[in-house]
Amino acid sequence: TFKPESPAIQFATRHDVRGFAAVELAEREMHKYPPFVRAALFRVEHEDASVAATLAADVKSAVDLAAAQASLPKAQWSALGPAPCALERAHGRTRWQVFVRTRTVSQRSAIVDGVRRSEAVKKAIGRQRARFVVDVDPVHLL
């Protein structure tokens, strides 16, 4: 490993699953990551970087609208982005994302369903022949 001091490596060398879980769960709670929140990742992919960025902004607008239509207080959800994905280019496409966190499954569902039903998003994605991915409880953000 390049980081032998990493807590994960240190716990693994001691076979300390409970210790690792306690530290990891505390970190996840502090940073508001699952299982303490519900998450959804909206990703847009297109050959043209500026088109991908514009479509991701459209998705963010749809997220905001869906949350407003569901009467979700801003303290109960957050959206990060739009921003380029960590792996910005893949298979000849530029990838942008919007990451949403909510407190409950029903709040996340309201936002995800609202974005999926958004005629503006459907039309923009279809018109540009872009790829649109919705990942509920994403395992990674690459």
Side-chain angles (χ1 to χ4, degrees), residues 32 39-40 45 53 62 77 119 126:
K32 295 184 175 128
E45 302 176 5
W77 70 278
E119 287 300 318

Side-chain angles (χ1 to χ4, degrees), residues 44 55 58-59 62 112-132 134:
V44 176
L55 292 173
D58 293 343
V59 169
V112 169
D113 291 345
V115 172
R116 284 183 172 158
R117 285 192 310 267
S118 169
E119 287 300 318
V121 169
K122 286 182 200 176
K123 287 179 183 176
I125 296 289
R127 185 174 45 252
Q128 294 295 339
R129 295 186 180 155
R131 183 167 185 225
F132 181 54
V134 180

Side-chain angles (χ1 to χ4, degrees), residues 4 7 16-17 21-22 25 28 34 42 44 50-51 54-55 58 76 79 92 96 103-104 107-108 121 127:
D16 184 1
V17 174
L25 286 171
R28 288 176 166 273
F42 300 94
V44 176
S50 64
V51 170
T54 300
L55 292 173
D58 293 343
Q76 305 234 340
W96 277 67
R103 289 195 176 167
T104 67
Q107 292 168 337
R108 179 190 60 205
V121 169
R127 185 174 45 252

Side-chain angles (χ1 to χ4, degrees), residues 50-93:
S50 64
V51 170
T54 300
L55 292 173
D58 293 343
V59 169
K60 172 61 167 68
S61 295
V63 165
D64 293 340
L65 181 60
Q69 289 175 335
S71 301
L72 297 181
K74 188 61 183 156
Q76 305 234 340
W77 70 278
S78 65
L80 301 172
C85 292
L87 242 168
E88 189 173 352
R89 296 247 340 139
H91 308 290
R93 293 173 172 258

